[in-house]
Amino acid sequence: MRKRARVAQSKGDHRGFNSNDFISRMPDDILVSIVSRLPLKEAATTSNLSTRWRYIWCQTDGLDFDANEKLDKIAVDSKLRVVERPKYINWVNRVTRQHKGPTIDEFRICFDLDKSSKGAIDKWVEFAISKRVQKLELDLLENGEMLRQPPRNYVFPIKIFDRSLGLSVKRQSLSVPRMVSGKEMEIKFLKSLFLKCVNVSEEALRKLLTSCPALQQLSIHGSGDLVNVKISGQSLVLKYFEIVFCFGVKSIEISDSNLESFSYLGPGITIKLSNLPMLEEISIGEGYSGFENNVFGQISCCISHLQILTLDIYRPEENIKFLSFPELPKLKQLILKVGAWDDDSLLEFTSLAKACPNLQRFVIQLIWMSPAKRRRKIRHAAKHPHQHLEVVEVVGYYGRTSDVELAVYFIDNAIALQKILIDPRYQVLERIPIGNDQLKKEKAARSCAKKQLEPRTPRGVQL
């Protein structure tokens, strides 16, 4: 019977698919493009469709080894890490061995891994570079969100780039890359590099910037080796630079560059920015509020042309009412991430909005742990017409008096207001599975927002 089945199949089509199967008759490059849009595990299952599909997934141009479901389970029970870590490593090893495509656009690792997995991660990085990867991401955060102690971090293998390129040249008969300095070699194709819980030294950072002429995006999260960060040079094509929770950093100096976006989140440090005519987006959070570290003085070189500003303010202080803010004449988006403790008034933040005459979008993200409601009268800030403000978004709305009075202020003062977005979702930093209690709180907050704001919202404004 098996023999007859094989004969029947061969009469239909020598490649093992039905002649009426239009998709299977498409050229390989189109099938590869289709499969590349599937999650990696689903892409691999297409090999079971027929002999025609068996190796299509092995040519995908994106390898995203996402394991969020496993990380959620590890966050609940850390003992699972011992079991799941080897499984993840074996999965990545198996796929990289089977991959047949000449290049990949994206290679992403997302799992709780540390320096104990150095051998495997080194090979993955070498594999990605040999495939001319354009976007490389190593997300090795513990439990998906929390930082680990830097001595346990995987160390970024800057020297492996030279060895990987040598292998790539040998395997693919490529022309030898131009020498940059000493033994450093150009990595022509890497455009984006995202590193989380990966130690990057100052020497490694320098080599990355000089050896990757196409690098446009660089994000370093949780490195313990950086101290003084310097970026300079018109020859750099770097457009996006981010430093997050690198607690050893003491200073960041960026000058004479075409950088367009800069982000820093961590303790108060020395930040020097100069001659950055293209810098239009800044996200910054220093210490409790950043104001005590003269945040606006630090970014003064680009205030005149800044268009998007994000401020992380962990604990708003009462003396914010006594601060004067410089005018940000071209700012279109102001995003505030605020630690919402107790039921303190948020109206003082409207003074920041007033300093932005061309503001179009105002967002406040309230990060709270145990929001408390207090019965008090709604306060009103001094009236100020916001001529261009179209969208107001309140994330973490709980129905407290402070929530209401901030929303009401913009309803009353935003002349061009078109939309108010109320998002009651629980805003915390840790990876915590959403339970029934939290869903009930969110539902109650939505109902509360509708009751509090709908009667005050004018016609034509979407709530």
Side-chain angles (χ1 to χ4, degrees):
M1 291 178 65
R2 290 178 181 174
K3 183 177 180 180
R4 285 200 299 272
R6 286 197 297 269
V7 171
Q9 184 185 52
S10 64
K11 289 181 178 180
D13 192 289
H14 72 281
R15 291 181 296 181
F17 61 86
N18 191 299
S19 60
N20 294 323
D21 184 353
F22 173 74
I23 295 181
S24 293
R25 287 187 280 121
M26 290 181 174
D28 281 4
D29 56 345
I30 295 179
L31 295 182
V32 170
S33 178
I34 293 172
V35 173
S36 294
R37 286 163 171 76
L38 297 173
L40 190 53
K41 289 186 176 181
E42 292 182 15
T45 61
T46 62
S47 63
N48 298 322
L49 294 175
S50 68
T51 55
R52 171 77 173 92
W53 287 84
R54 183 170 297 170
Y55 299 109
I56 292 295
W57 78 275
C58 296
Q59 303 176 58
T60 55
D61 55 16
L63 296 177
D64 183 353
F65 296 93
D66 182 88
N68 274 317
E69 291 183 8
K70 299 294 185 183
L71 289 171
D72 285 340
K73 293 179 180 178
I74 292 174
V76 176
D77 184 2
S78 60
K79 294 180 181 179
L80 292 174
R81 183 190 296 113
V82 178
V83 177
E84 297 298 338
R85 203 176 254 179
K87 290 182 180 179
Y88 184 87
I89 292 174
N90 290 336
W91 174 40
V92 179
N93 286 341
R94 186 169 61 254
V95 172
T96 53
R97 282 195 304 265
Q98 293 177 304
H99 191 269
K100 306 298 182 183
T103 63
I104 52 175
D105 293 336
E106 177 182 0
F107 186 85
R108 178 174 181 257
I109 296 295
C110 179
F111 201 76
D112 178 1
L113 300 171
D114 58 21
K115 66 180 183 180
S116 66
S117 304
K118 180 182 186 314
I121 303 173
D122 282 352
K123 290 180 181 178
W124 300 340
V125 174
E126 182 177 327
F127 165 84
I129 296 301
S130 71
K131 295 283 187 176
R132 306 183 188 181
V133 68
Q134 295 185 36
K135 180 180 179 182
L136 174 60
E137 181 175 351
L138 300 179
D139 183 350
L140 311 182
L141 284 178
E142 189 170 18
N143 292 344
E145 296 294 341
M146 297 172 64
L147 293 174
R148 66 165 56 89
Q149 293 298 318
R152 292 176 50 212
N153 281 352
Y154 168 76
V155 178
F156 186 71
I158 189 65
K159 292 183 180 179
I160 207 172
F161 277 52
D162 298 343
R163 186 163 68 253
S164 299
L165 277 170
L167 290 172
S168 177
V169 170
K170 183 176 180 181
R171 291 172 183 169
Q172 302 179 31
S173 300
L174 299 176
S175 58
V176 178
R178 178 177 63 84
M179 298 295 288
V180 177
S181 62
K183 294 183 179 180
E184 297 173 34
M185 304 179 76
E186 274 194 355
I187 302 166
K188 295 182 179 180
F189 306 100
L190 187 64
K191 295 181 179 180
S192 303
L193 180 62
F194 300 91
L195 304 173
K196 296 183 180 180
C197 276
V198 176
N199 283 348
V200 181
S201 66
E202 291 172 35
E203 179 187 6
L205 177 59
R206 180 187 65 79
K207 285 187 177 182
L208 277 170
L209 294 174
T210 56
S211 302
C212 303
L215 190 64
Q216 298 180 16
Q217 295 181 298
L218 177 59
S219 173
I220 303 174
H221 189 147
S223 170
D225 293 347
L226 289 174
V227 180
N228 299 305
V229 178
K230 291 186 178 181
I231 294 180
S232 179
Q234 294 287 344
S235 61
L236 297 178
V237 298
L238 192 67
K239 298 183 183 302
Y240 172 92
F241 181 56
E242 180 181 56
I243 293 283
V244 176
F245 295 148
C246 297
F247 294 112
V249 172
K250 294 182 179 179
S251 68
I252 297 177
E253 185 175 343
I254 307 174
S255 62
D256 305 316
S257 166
N258 291 318
L259 195 70
E260 296 177 3
S261 175
F262 168 62
S263 298
Y264 172 77
L265 185 60
I269 61 171
T270 299
I271 297 178
K272 295 181 180 179
L273 307 178
S274 61
N275 192 22
L276 303 170
M278 306 298 291
L279 187 58
E280 296 182 344
E281 180 176 1
I282 289 180
S283 177
I284 192 165
E286 295 184 89
Y288 287 130
S289 71
F291 299 127
E292 68 273 11
N293 210 42
N294 188 25
V295 62
F296 286 103
Q298 292 176 330
I299 65 174
S300 59
C301 81
C302 55
I303 278 181
S304 62
H305 54 268
L306 199 63
Q307 295 195 23
I308 302 174
L309 176 62
T310 300
L311 295 175
D312 284 73
I313 305 168
Y314 298 121
R315 291 188 179 179
E317 298 177 350
E318 283 294 326
N319 60 10
I320 187 176
K321 66 182 68 175
F322 302 114
L323 293 175
S324 59
F325 302 106
E327 184 175 284
L328 294 94
K330 293 189 177 181
L331 199 75
K332 296 179 180 179
Q333 294 188 48
L334 177 61
I335 303 165
L336 304 177
K337 299 179 181 179
V338 179
W341 304 95
D342 299 324
D343 196 10
D344 297 333
S345 178
L346 302 170
L347 285 176
E348 303 303 336
F349 292 108
T350 61
S351 56
L352 263 172
K354 293 174 183 177
C356 311
N358 287 297
L359 191 65
Q360 297 178 10
R361 180 171 177 255
F362 176 90
V363 179
I364 186 165
Q365 298 179 6
L366 305 174
I367 302 173
W368 41 259
M369 301 304 293
S370 56
K373 291 184 178 181
R374 292 198 307 233
R375 290 190 177 184
R376 60 176 176 83
K377 291 184 179 180
I378 294 179
R379 302 173 188 171
H380 297 277
K383 289 189 175 183
H384 180 88
H386 295 273
Q387 301 287 350
H388 305 284
L389 187 59
E390 297 178 352
V391 178
V392 172
E393 184 174 350
V394 183
V395 182
Y397 191 103
Y398 187 70
R400 305 174 307 171
T401 303
S402 55
D403 300 336
V404 178
E405 58 194 12
L406 182 67
V408 168
Y409 167 82
F410 286 112
I411 289 174
D412 292 342
N413 290 276
I415 297 173
L417 189 63
Q418 297 179 6
K419 185 184 298 184
I420 301 177
L421 299 174
I422 302 298
D423 186 346
R425 283 177 293 180
Y426 193 55
Q427 301 297 307
V428 292
L429 298 178
E430 295 86 358
R431 177 188 290 271
I432 298 177
I434 297 177
N436 291 331
D437 289 344
Q438 183 55 36
L439 293 175
K440 289 179 181 179
K441 290 180 181 179
E442 291 179 8
K443 185 177 180 180
R446 285 191 179 91
S447 177
C448 190
K450 185 175 182 180
K451 181 179 179 180
Q452 292 169 332
L453 301 180
E454 198 171 55
R456 303 171 184 264
T457 304
R459 290 183 179 179
V461 175
Q462 182 180 350
L463 177 62

